Amino acid sequence: MMKTLFAMISRELKANVKVWLIWSVVIILFNIAGVMKFEGIAGGDADAVRKLTDAFPKVALAVMGISDLDMSTFAGYYAVIEFYTGIMAAVYAVALARNAVSREMTDGTYEFLFVRPVSRTTILSAKLMAALADAIAFVAVNCISALLCLRLLGDVPGLNDATAATVIWRFSVWLFVMMLVFGAIGACASAACPRPEQGASIGNASVVVAYGAGVVFDMFSDHDASVVARLLSPFRYSTPREVIDGRMPVPFAVLAVLIVVAGFAAAYRLFATRDLAVR
């Protein structure tokens, strides 16, 4: 049984490696362009940077993920970079989950795999374990490349390498949690829908809704009604300031865990009874 399990994991990892390499190159280049640009910003006038961001309408700052962040500091600047990285990671997590649940349907190989003397639960477990490994590798590439870029920075005024590295580590944890949440949503949607493309559409739509709700929350974070927008946006279960400080509100931490557990549990249950033939 273990040999079969490892064989399925290996097969899934090989199937995902090309896409993972593409995403890794994108993330590395994004970090190089983003982190290295901070040297120019920090070398300028910090007050001028603050005045420039304050001049933008609040809606523009919310759309760009800059609300309530000081772009003249590394922590604030890196939080904006990770905002966009988080969106990319969410899309990638949905794709990983969709492939884990529906690859055999899209490739037409389900008859070959599911006639084996292995339960559907074991098959899905192997495929999700491979997806988890890809997610961990994705976060590791982002974290390591950012840390290496940090070492390439020159003498930046006010930059403490240890503090900056801590910020990078904390956002790496945040990024992994986001991938788990959206992976659970994507897996559940893919298992519930009769056609793979429908599950992918729902999973990607959840990313768009979360982004939009996050923008609304950033615009009205000083209003009590903004809690509804925050509930709809896993990107804001822990705000950039809370991530920088190493905090996450307990209610939203519990909500994230519930989404992950419920999403994957539903995916297992639906996967065990779904019709594998695409109509």
Side-chain angles (χ1 to χ4, degrees):
M1 178 63 72
M2 292 301 297
K3 183 177 181 180
T4 302
L5 182 66
F6 284 121
M8 287 189 290
I9 293 174
S10 177
R11 177 183 178 277
E12 195 71 11
L13 288 173
K14 289 178 181 178
N16 291 338
V17 67
K18 183 177 180 180
V19 175
W20 177 81
L21 287 173
I22 293 173
W23 276 107
S24 296
V25 170
V26 170
I27 289 299
I28 291 171
L29 294 177
F30 186 71
N31 276 331
I32 292 174
V35 175
M36 297 302 291
K37 190 175 181 180
F38 175 72
E39 187 172 9
I41 294 177
D45 187 349
D47 289 334
V49 174
R50 297 188 189 100
K51 290 179 181 179
L52 178 63
T53 54
D54 290 342
F56 281 92
K58 193 167 185 178
V59 61
L61 295 176
V63 168
M64 293 185 291
I66 306 179
S67 294
D68 301 321
L69 291 173
D70 185 355
M71 291 283 288
S72 66
T73 66
F74 179 82
Y77 182 82
Y78 189 71
V80 177
I81 293 178
E82 286 300 279
F83 174 71
Y84 296 105
T85 303
I87 295 173
M88 290 188 284
V91 173
Y92 182 45
V94 169
L96 285 173
R98 178 258 186 188
N99 287 336
V101 174
S102 302
R103 187 190 301 278
E104 270 57 49
M105 295 175 66
T106 56
D107 294 349
T109 57
Y110 64 92
E111 291 180 336
F112 172 78
L113 180 61
F114 287 90
V115 296
R116 302 295 175 186
V118 183
S119 68
R120 289 194 185 189
T121 298
T122 300
I123 291 172
L124 183 58
S125 295
K127 294 163 77 65
L128 287 176
M129 287 173 67
L132 178 62
D134 284 322
I136 293 173
F138 177 91
V139 174
V141 167
N142 177 67
C143 180
I144 293 171
S145 62
L147 289 172
L148 290 176
C149 287
L150 185 64
R151 293 173 64 88
L152 294 175
L153 289 176
D155 294 328
V156 176
L159 178 64
N160 183 292
D161 286 349
T163 302
T166 300
V167 170
I168 292 174
W169 279 107
R170 287 174 177 171
F171 272 103
S172 295
V173 175
W174 172 83
L175 194 66
F176 181 63
V177 172
M178 290 304 99
M179 294 192 75
L180 286 178
V181 170
F182 285 103
I185 295 172
C188 181
S190 296
C193 294
R195 301 187 66 86
E197 60 271 17
Q198 293 174 339
S201 296
I202 293 174
N204 290 326
S206 72
V207 179
V208 175
V209 170
Y211 168 75
V215 170
V216 172
F217 171 77
D218 286 347
M219 289 175 59
F220 304 105
S221 58
D222 55 343
H223 294 77
D224 292 338
S226 66
V227 69
V228 177
R230 191 174 186 181
L231 286 169
L232 294 173
S233 180
F235 293 125
R236 289 296 178 258
Y237 286 178
S238 184
T239 64
R241 176 51 55 190
E242 288 169 342
V243 176
I244 292 170
D245 294 339
R247 298 182 291 110
M248 183 175 187
V250 173
F252 289 100
V254 172
L255 179 58
V257 171
L258 288 176
I259 291 174
V260 172
V261 172
F264 284 118
Y268 271 99
R269 184 169 183 176
L270 293 166
F271 186 78
T273 58
R274 77 183 303 190
D275 185 357
L276 297 172
V278 180
R279 306 291 180 188

